[in-house]
Coordinates of all heavy atoms in Angstrom, one line a residue:
M1116 N 30.1 -14.6 -47.4 CA 30.1 -13.8 -46.2 C 28.9 -12.8 -46.4 O 28.8 -12.1 -47.4 CB 31.4 -13.0 -46.1 CG 31.4 -12.1 -44.9 SD 33.1 -11.4 -44.9 CE 33.0 -10.6 -43.3
T1117 N 28.1 -12.7 -45.3 CA 26.9 -11.9 -45.4 C 27.2 -10.6 -44.5 O 27.7 -10.7 -43.4 CB 25.7 -12.6 -44.8 OG1 25.6 -13.9 -45.3 CG2 24.4 -11.9 -45.2
T1118 N 26.7 -9.5 -45.0 CA 26.9 -8.2 -44.3 C 25.6 -7.8 -43.7 O 24.6 -7.8 -44.4 CB 27.4 -7.1 -45.2 OG1 28.6 -7.5 -45.8 CG2 27.7 -5.9 -44.4
T1119 N 25.6 -7.6 -42.4 CA 24.4 -7.2 -41.7 C 24.3 -5.6 -41.6 O 25.3 -5.0 -41.2 CB 24.3 -7.7 -40.2 OG1 24.5 -9.1 -40.3 CG2 23.0 -7.4 -39.5
P1120 N 23.3 -5.0 -42.0 CA 23.2 -3.5 -42.0 C 23.3 -3.1 -40.5 O 22.8 -3.7 -39.6 CB 21.9 -3.2 -42.6 CG 21.1 -4.4 -42.7 CD 22.1 -5.6 -42.6
A1121 N 23.9 -1.9 -40.4 CA 23.9 -1.3 -39.0 C 22.5 -0.9 -38.6 O 21.7 -0.4 -39.3 CB 24.8 -0.1 -39.0
V1122 N 22.3 -1.2 -37.3 CA 21.0 -0.8 -36.7 C 21.1 0.6 -36.1 O 22.0 0.9 -35.4 CB 20.6 -1.8 -35.6 CG1 19.3 -1.4 -35.0 CG2 20.5 -3.2 -36.2
T1123 N 20.2 1.5 -36.6 CA 20.3 2.8 -36.0 C 19.4 2.9 -34.8 O 18.3 2.3 -34.8 CB 19.8 3.9 -37.1 OG1 18.5 3.5 -37.5 CG2 20.8 3.9 -38.3
K1124 N 19.8 3.7 -33.9 CA 19.0 3.9 -32.6 C 17.8 4.8 -33.0 O 17.9 5.8 -33.6 CB 19.9 4.6 -31.6 CG 19.2 4.9 -30.3 CD 20.1 5.7 -29.4 CE 19.4 6.0 -28.1 NZ 18.4 7.1 -28.2
R1125 N 16.7 4.3 -32.5 CA 15.5 5.1 -32.7 C 15.4 6.2 -31.6 O 15.8 6.0 -30.4 CB 14.2 4.2 -32.6 CG 14.2 3.2 -33.7 CD 12.8 2.6 -33.8 NE 12.8 1.6 -34.8 CZ 12.5 1.8 -36.1 NH1 12.3 3.0 -36.5 NH2 12.5 0.8 -37.0
L1126 N 15.0 7.4 -32.0 CA 15.0 8.5 -31.1 C 13.6 8.6 -30.4 O 12.6 8.3 -30.9 CB 15.2 9.8 -31.8 CG 16.5 10.0 -32.5 CD1 16.5 11.3 -33.3 CD2 17.6 10.0 -31.6
T1127 N 13.7 9.1 -29.1 CA 12.4 9.4 -28.4 C 12.0 10.8 -28.8 O 12.8 11.5 -29.5 CB 12.6 9.4 -26.9 OG1 13.6 10.4 -26.5 CG2 13.2 8.0 -26.4
F1128 N 10.8 11.2 -28.5 CA 10.4 12.5 -28.8 C 11.2 13.6 -28.2 O 11.6 14.6 -28.8 CB 8.9 12.7 -28.5 CG 8.3 14.0 -28.9 CD1 8.2 14.3 -30.3 CD2 7.9 15.0 -28.0 CE1 7.7 15.6 -30.7 CE2 7.4 16.2 -28.4 CZ 7.3 16.5 -29.7
E1129 N 11.6 13.4 -26.9 CA 12.5 14.3 -26.2 C 13.8 14.4 -26.9 O 14.4 15.5 -27.0 CB 12.6 13.9 -24.7 CG 11.4 14.0 -23.9 CD 10.4 12.9 -24.1 OE1 10.7 11.8 -24.7 OE2 9.2 13.1 -23.8
E1130 N 14.4 13.3 -27.3 CA 15.7 13.4 -28.1 C 15.5 14.1 -29.4 O 16.4 14.9 -29.8 CB 16.2 11.9 -28.3 CG 16.6 11.2 -27.1 CD 16.9 9.8 -27.3 OE1 16.2 9.1 -28.1 OE2 17.9 9.3 -26.7
Y1131 N 14.4 13.9 -30.1 CA 14.1 14.6 -31.3 C 14.1 16.1 -31.1 O 14.7 16.9 -31.8 CB 12.8 14.1 -31.9 CG 12.2 15.0 -33.0 CD1 12.8 15.1 -34.2 CD2 11.1 15.8 -32.8 CE1 12.3 15.9 -35.2 CE2 10.6 16.6 -33.7 CZ 11.2 16.6 -35.0 OH 10.7 17.4 -36.0
L1132 N 13.4 16.6 -30.0 CA 13.3 18.0 -29.7 C 14.7 18.6 -29.4 O 14.9 19.8 -29.7 CB 12.4 18.2 -28.5 CG 10.9 17.9 -28.8 CD1 10.1 18.1 -27.5 CD2 10.3 18.8 -29.9
A1133 N 15.6 17.8 -28.8 CA 16.9 18.3 -28.5 C 17.9 18.1 -29.6 O 19.0 18.7 -29.5 CB 17.4 17.6 -27.2
Y1134 N 17.6 17.4 -30.7 CA 18.5 17.1 -31.7 C 18.8 18.4 -32.5 O 18.0 19.2 -32.9 CB 17.9 16.1 -32.7 CG 18.8 15.7 -33.8 CD1 19.9 14.8 -33.6 CD2 18.7 16.3 -35.1 CE1 20.7 14.5 -34.6 CE2 19.5 15.9 -36.1 CZ 20.6 15.1 -35.9 OH 21.4 14.7 -36.9
Y1135 N 20.1 18.6 -32.8 CA 20.6 19.6 -33.7 C 21.9 19.2 -34.3 O 22.8 18.8 -33.6 CB 20.9 20.9 -32.8 CG 21.4 22.0 -33.7 CD1 20.6 22.6 -34.6 CD2 22.7 22.5 -33.5 CE1 21.1 23.7 -35.4 CE2 23.2 23.5 -34.3 CZ 22.4 24.1 -35.3 OH 22.9 25.1 -36.0
D1136 N 21.9 19.2 -35.6 CA 23.1 18.7 -36.4 C 24.0 19.8 -36.9 O 24.9 19.5 -37.6 CB 22.7 17.7 -37.5 CG 21.9 18.4 -38.6 OD1 21.7 19.7 -38.5 OD2 21.6 17.8 -39.6
G1137 N 23.7 21.0 -36.5 CA 24.5 22.2 -36.9 C 24.2 22.7 -38.3 O 24.9 23.6 -38.8
S1138 N 23.2 22.2 -38.9 CA 22.8 22.7 -40.2 C 21.4 23.3 -40.2 O 20.8 23.3 -39.2 CB 22.8 21.5 -41.3 OG 21.7 20.7 -41.0
D1139 N 21.0 23.8 -41.3 CA 19.6 24.4 -41.4 C 18.6 23.4 -41.9 O 17.5 23.7 -42.1 CB 19.6 25.5 -42.5 CG 20.4 26.8 -42.0 OD1 20.6 26.9 -40.7 OD2 20.9 27.6 -42.8
K1140 N 19.0 22.1 -42.0 CA 18.0 21.1 -42.4 C 17.0 20.9 -41.3 O 17.2 21.0 -40.1 CB 18.8 19.7 -42.6 CG 19.6 19.6 -43.8 CD 20.1 18.2 -44.0 CE 20.9 18.1 -45.2 NZ 21.4 16.7 -45.4
R1141 N 15.8 20.6 -41.8 CA 14.7 20.3 -40.9 C 14.3 18.8 -41.0 O 14.4 18.3 -42.1 CB 13.5 21.1 -41.2 CG 13.8 22.6 -41.0 CD 12.6 23.4 -40.7 NE 13.0 24.8 -40.5 CZ 12.5 25.5 -39.5 NH1 11.6 25.1 -38.7 NH2 12.9 26.8 -39.4
Y1142 N 14.0 18.2 -39.9 CA 13.6 16.8 -39.9 C 12.3 16.6 -39.3 O 11.8 17.4 -38.5 CB 14.7 16.0 -39.1 CG 16.1 16.1 -39.6 CD1 17.0 17.1 -39.2 CD2 16.5 15.1 -40.6 CE1 18.2 17.1 -39.7 CE2 17.8 15.2 -41.1 CZ 18.7 16.2 -40.6 OH 19.9 16.2 -41.1
E1143 N 11.7 15.5 -39.6 CA 10.5 15.0 -38.9 C 10.8 13.7 -38.3 O 11.7 13.0 -38.8 CB 9.2 15.0 -39.8 CG 9.4 14.1 -41.0 CD 8.2 14.3 -42.0 OE1 7.1 14.7 -41.5 OE2 8.3 14.0 -43.2
L1144 N 10.1 13.3 -37.3 CA 10.3 12.1 -36.6 C 9.2 11.1 -37.0 O 8.0 11.4 -36.8 CB 10.3 12.3 -35.0 CG 10.6 11.1 -34.2 CD1 12.1 10.8 -34.3 CD2 10.3 11.4 -32.7
V1145 N 9.6 10.0 -37.6 CA 8.7 9.0 -38.1 C 9.1 7.7 -37.5 O 10.2 7.1 -37.8 CB 8.6 8.9 -39.6 CG1 7.7 7.8 -40.1 CG2 8.3 10.3 -40.2
D1146 N 8.3 7.1 -36.6 CA 8.6 5.8 -36.0 C 10.0 5.8 -35.4 O 10.8 4.8 -35.5 CB 8.5 4.7 -37.0 CG 7.0 4.5 -37.4 OD1 6.1 4.7 -36.6 OD2 6.8 4.0 -38.5
G1147 N 10.4 6.9 -34.8 CA 11.7 7.0 -34.1 C 12.9 7.3 -35.0 O 14.0 7.4 -34.6
E1148 N 12.6 7.5 -36.3 CA 13.7 7.8 -37.2 C 13.6 9.3 -37.7 O 12.5 9.8 -38.0 CB 13.6 6.9 -38.5 CG 13.9 5.4 -38.1 CD 13.8 4.5 -39.3 OE1 14.3 5.0 -40.4 OE2 13.3 3.4 -39.2
L1149 N 14.7 9.9 -37.9 CA 14.8 11.2 -38.4 C 14.6 11.2 -40.0 O 15.4 10.5 -40.6 CB 16.1 11.9 -38.1 CG 16.3 12.4 -36.7 CD1 17.7 13.0 -36.5 CD2 15.2 13.3 -36.2
I1150 N 13.7 11.9 -40.5 CA 13.4 11.9 -41.9 C 13.6 13.4 -42.4 O 12.9 14.3 -41.9 CB 12.0 11.5 -42.3 CG1 11.7 10.1 -41.7 CG2 11.8 11.5 -43.8 CD1 12.6 9.0 -42.2
P1151 N 14.6 13.6 -43.3 CA 14.8 15.0 -43.8 C 13.5 15.5 -44.5 O 12.9 14.8 -45.3 CB 15.9 14.9 -44.8 CG 16.6 13.6 -44.5 CD 15.5 12.7 -43.9
M1152 N 13.1 16.7 -44.2 CA 11.9 17.3 -44.8 C 12.3 17.9 -46.1 O 13.4 18.6 -46.2 CB 11.3 18.3 -43.9 CG 10.7 17.7 -42.6 SD 10.1 18.9 -41.5 CE 8.7 19.6 -42.4
S1153 N 11.6 17.7 -47.1 CA 11.9 18.4 -48.4 C 11.5 19.8 -48.4 O 10.5 20.2 -47.7 CB 11.2 17.6 -49.5 OG 9.8 17.7 -49.4
L1154 N 12.2 20.6 -49.1 CA 11.8 22.0 -49.2 C 10.6 22.2 -50.1 O 10.5 21.4 -51.1 CB 13.0 22.8 -49.8 CG 14.3 22.9 -49.0 CD1 15.3 23.6 -49.8 CD2 14.0 23.6 -47.7
G1155 N 9.8 23.1 -49.8 CA 8.6 23.4 -50.6 C 9.1 24.0 -51.9 O 10.2 24.3 -52.1
S1156 N 8.1 24.3 -52.8 CA 8.4 24.9 -54.0 C 7.7 26.3 -54.1 O 6.8 26.5 -53.3 CB 8.1 24.1 -55.2 OG 6.7 23.8 -55.2
G1157 N 8.1 27.1 -55.0 CA 7.4 28.4 -55.2 C 7.7 29.3 -54.0 O 8.8 29.4 -53.5
Q1158 N 6.6 29.9 -53.5 CA 6.8 30.9 -52.3 C 7.1 30.1 -51.0 O 7.7 30.8 -50.1 CB 5.5 31.6 -52.1 CG 5.1 32.5 -53.3 CD 3.8 33.2 -53.0 OE1 3.0 32.9 -52.2 NE2 3.5 34.2 -53.9
H1159 N 6.9 28.8 -51.0 CA 7.1 28.1 -49.7 C 8.6 27.5 -49.7 O 9.0 27.0 -48.6 CB 6.1 27.0 -49.5 CG 4.7 27.5 -49.5 ND1 4.2 28.1 -48.4 CD2 3.7 27.5 -50.4 CE1 3.0 28.5 -48.6 NE2 2.7 28.1 -49.8
G1160 N 9.3 27.5 -50.8 CA 10.6 26.9 -50.8 C 11.6 27.8 -50.2 O 11.4 29.0 -50.1
G1161 N 12.7 27.2 -49.9 CA 13.7 28.0 -49.2 C 14.9 28.1 -50.0 O 16.0 28.5 -49.9

């Protein structure tokens, strides 16, 4: 038996701008996918 991975819906730019998951995480939009942004280090880190 083969398992097919779930296909995630790609977001439009407008959907990305309206997206909020209730957390302080920041995301970037790459080819329609939300990619969590890493925190910086030193003075830029959070």
Side-chain angles (χ1 to χ4, degrees):
M1116 179 177 191
T1117 317
T1118 305
T1119 305
V1122 176
T1123 56
K1124 178 183 178 289
R1125 295 194 183 271
L1126 297 178
T1127 64
F1128 185 66
E1129 289 77 18
E1130 290 170 323
Y1131 165 72
L1132 292 176
Y1134 180 79
Y1135 178 68
D1136 67 356
S1138 73
D1139 290 337
K1140 285 186 179 180
R1141 299 208 178 219
Y1142 298 91
E1143 56 187 338
L1144 186 67
V1145 178
D1146 292 329
E1148 295 182 38
L1149 288 177
I1150 307 297
M1152 295 175 65
S1153 62
L1154 295 176
S1156 58
Q1158 294 178 347
H1159 299 286

